[in-house]
Amino acid sequence: MPKTKWTQIEEVMTGEFTGKTIHSRGWIYRTRSSGNIVFMMLRDVTGVIQATVKKGNLPDAEFEDALKALIESSVHITGTVREDKRAPGGYELQVTNLSVVNFAEPFPITKDQSPELLLDLRHLWIRSRKITAILKIRSTVVGAIHSFFRDQGFYEYDAPVLQPNQCEGGSTLFEVKYYEDKTYLSQSWQLYAEAGIFALEKIYNMGPTFRAEKSKTSRHLSEFWMAEMEAAWMDLSDVVSIAKDEIHYILMQVLQKNRKDLEVLGQDIAKLEEIASSEFPTITYTEALHILKEKEGMGIEWGKDLRTIEEDKLMNHFKTPVVVTNYPVEIMAFYKPKDEKDPKTALCFDMLAPEGYGEIIGGSQRSTDIAAMTERLKEMGEKVDNYQWYFDLRRFGSVPHAGYGLGVERLVAWICKTENIKDTIPFPRTLLRFKP
Ligand code: ATP
Ligand code: MG
């Protein structure tokens, strides 16, 4: 028997199959019957189409199955494509054969469910149109990150997930039993990347990252994917301009590949296009405080980190992402060096997204001063001995270098305009949830 040729819904919507009989397979998205007709919405990965099942057009037993099949049943359908202005997408299938692959049980997700229930039923909810659209965009973003760096001669380089040290502060470490010892899940690829640049010079990675975030926010996951880069012979301004190019590149790719998905999500495509073709400004932390003071009437003491509320107020004054550099050195991680031109500040940056999505990138030049780093680690109560291997990188052919990390889920949340970061990853892990 010849293999069946399956036509995808997206292909039907091109009009190319009008008047022709096709084979389609997918899941029942919605169904209702009226007398001798069953109106089904069928979905596959590419879209949804109306399938009209009329008694008499197909064997009676198959019509009975169509009446019985509940939503999320999987089906094979043979039908003729007809143009119908009233149908969603403008085409419908007139069904001549229907075979139910699996009769679904009553689907537990109905309209207007609470977010918590949708997370309990995440394994079923990921097939919703909303999550499907987000996951397609996420796939484009991840692919774009790889091609962006590879096209510029960066090597992909992996760090261990089990690490003996902290990188971003002890309070968010996940401890893991390691035989008779203990280690931690990676908070960042960075320290190991700093070893890699002496071999490969320009490297990047995208990998799972773990932080035991103790507060509940719509921006923090306990397990997320960070896309990081590190490069020898680069300074702060070099990596800031790579970060801006990267975001522009990712936006262009999404606009090219995911227009339909952005529409499903109700995102404003013209606005994203405008952002993709605009320059992103760079300001300093001190300038950010001025803006907050002048335009928002918020007096922030110099030296305090910007909290979510301040980042959001600041971003009221920008339509595009903004890079903020030179945060106060004492609130920065131990490896961020001070700026000799303004020694109270560090050679570091964050990129903030507009519309309340907050920090999407954090990065810096890296300190090459062993004494300064030792002092900072001691202040933090760290065992300095554990960092001797890291200090060796400053002892054997040290070079200026810099890098940054991009939060994949934060970026996807902003691009998709989703209110919660949890919807940007198939199975979110948070303070309160590690199931299913
Ligand atoms: P925040 O202050 O928002 O917690 P951070 O300063 O701890 O962020 P970095 O250590 O600079 O973040 O990490 C680089 C990027 O990784 C951030 O800009 C953000 O996009 C992402 N990121 C950090 N923590 C999380 C998290 N818990 N969940 C999701 N993404 C995160
Ligand atoms: Mg954090």
Side-chain angles (χ1 to χ4, degrees):
M1 229 175 62
K3 239 178 151 17
T4 307
K5 161 132 187 24
W6 302 104
T7 304
Q8 290 195 303
I9 291 167
E10 187 176 62
E11 298 175 86
V12 174
M13 297 300 173
T14 62
E16 182 193 333
F17 290 91
T18 310
K20 299 196 175 126
T21 295
I22 60 148
H23 304 287
S24 175
R25 60 184 168 186
W27 293 265
I28 299 176
Y29 178 61
R30 275 203 298 268
T31 180
R32 72 185 163 88
S33 59
S34 150
N36 288 333
I37 306 187
V38 179
F39 296 101
M40 278 181 185
M41 291 297 291
L42 184 73
R43 68 168 177 85
D44 69 9
V45 61
T46 66
V48 294
I49 190 167
Q50 178 169 301
T52 306
V53 193
K54 232 185 239 168
K55 193 175 163 94
N57 282 356
L58 71 172
D60 277 354
E62 293 182 15
F63 180 74
E64 292 304 317
D65 282 350
L67 276 175
K68 265 196 326 210
L70 302 177
I71 63 166
E72 291 307 320
S73 296
S74 42
V75 293
H76 285 159
I77 277 178
T78 302
T80 309
V81 178
R82 227 176 49 99
E83 206 172 337
D84 181 349
K85 293 270 173 286
R86 292 158 308 167
Y91 295 89
E92 67 150 15
L93 279 177
Q94 297 205 308
V95 177
T96 52
N97 277 111
L98 176 137
S99 135
V100 177
V101 179
N102 173 259
F103 282 99
E105 295 179 21
F107 200 57
I109 302 175
T110 52
K111 253 188 166 358
D112 301 321
Q113 301 283 6
S114 74
E116 275 314 300
L117 184 107
L118 295 179
L119 285 167
D120 288 338
L121 297 174
R122 190 68 172 182
H123 51 293
L124 298 176
W125 182 237
I126 51 176
R127 57 179 81 179
S128 65
R129 291 200 81 200
K130 174 180 170 185
I131 306 291
T132 303
I134 295 173
L135 293 179
K136 285 185 190 174
I137 290 171
R138 182 185 168 106
S139 171
T140 300
V141 168
V142 166
I145 291 169
H146 283 289
S147 50
F148 175 80
F149 284 112
R150 284 167 179 261
D151 287 353
Q152 296 189 51
F154 281 72
Y155 293 97
E156 189 172 354
Y157 167 91
D158 299 313
V161 170
L162 295 172
Q163 301 183 2
N165 300 343
Q166 61 109 339
C167 175
E168 290 299 323
S171 66
T172 64
L173 284 172
F174 275 110
E175 201 176 298
V176 179
K177 192 168 169 320
Y178 192 78
Y179 307 103
E180 296 306 309
D181 234 320
K182 69 173 183 196
T183 61
Y184 307 102
L185 294 177
S186 172
Q187 283 178 313
S188 172
W189 159 94
Q190 180 197 322
L191 301 188
Y192 294 90
E194 287 184 65
I197 57 155
F198 293 88
L200 301 169
E201 297 196 17
K202 299 198 296 182
I203 56 181
Y204 82 99
N205 180 272
M206 191 162 9
T209 305
F210 305 88
R211 296 191 188 178
E213 307 279 4
K214 310 265 177 357
S215 61
K216 270 198 304 176
T217 80
S218 58
R219 293 180 188 174
H220 290 92
L221 294 163
S222 305
E223 175 180 314
F224 63 101
W225 287 68
M226 184 139 68
E228 295 180 79
M229 65 76 71
E230 192 74 29
W233 314 110
M234 285 198 192
D235 65 12
L236 179 65
S237 71
D238 295 324
V239 292
V240 164
S241 81
I242 293 177
K244 290 179 182 177
D245 289 349
E246 181 182 1
I247 301 300
H248 279 118
Y249 179 84
I250 293 169
L251 285 175
M252 295 303 248
Q253 292 278 307
V254 170
L255 283 162
Q256 215 180 331
K257 295 182 173 153
N258 299 93
R259 297 187 89 81
K260 252 179 31 190
D261 306 307
L262 292 167
E263 278 166 19
V264 167
L265 296 168
Q267 177 58 295
D268 180 344
I269 295 178
K271 177 196 72 187
L272 277 189
E273 277 171 338
E274 172 137 16
I275 294 172
S277 59
S278 304
E279 294 277 331
F280 301 167
T282 299
I283 60 173
T284 63
Y285 163 86
T286 306
E287 285 164 343
L289 292 198
H290 281 307
I291 294 172
L292 287 170
K293 179 95 206 212
E294 240 114 80
K295 301 195 169 153
E296 295 285 343
M298 292 175 95
I300 317 267
E301 195 188 322
W302 199 98
K304 288 253 180 323
D305 205 358
L306 297 181
R307 297 168 304 166
T308 303
I309 164 103
E310 284 114 28
E311 288 179 353
D312 291 353
K313 293 278 185 203
L314 176 68
M315 292 311 288
N316 284 340
H317 305 283
F318 298 94
K319 289 204 167 78
T320 66
V322 173
V323 167
V324 182
T325 66
N326 290 82
Y327 284 74
V329 75
E330 65 268 29
I331 54 171
M332 292 289 109
F334 75 94
Y335 54 76
K336 298 188 187 178
K338 66 173 184 240
D339 185 347
E340 294 303 342
K341 288 198 231 91
D342 183 7
K344 284 194 317 209
T345 70
L347 290 168
C348 65
F349 78 101
D350 281 355
M351 187 189 286
L352 309 180
E355 298 176 273
Y357 285 89
E359 181 192 325
I360 51 174
I361 295 181
S364 75
Q365 212 164 297
R366 313 308 189 190
S367 176
T368 50
D369 181 340
I370 296 175
M373 286 192 282
T374 303
E375 197 174 312
R376 289 298 306 282
L377 285 168
K378 276 190 184 147
E379 277 165 24
M380 288 156 54
E382 284 292 301
K383 277 206 202 97
V384 177
D385 255 4
N386 287 348
Y387 295 82
Q388 289 307 331
W389 72 268
Y390 183 69
F391 295 158
D392 272 351
L393 309 174
R394 277 74 180 162
R395 293 184 181 116
F396 300 96
S398 183
V399 291
H401 62 288
Y404 64 80
L406 158 71
V408 172
E409 290 76 16
R410 294 237 187 124
L411 176 64
V412 172
W414 168 54
I415 293 175
C416 293
K417 208 180 171 179
T418 51
E419 57 288 359
N420 201 303
I421 195 168
K422 286 186 268 208
D423 279 340
T424 63
I425 188 163
F427 290 92
R429 300 289 177 246
T430 64
L431 179 61
L432 299 175
R433 179 177 291 280
F434 58 94
K435 294 175 184 167

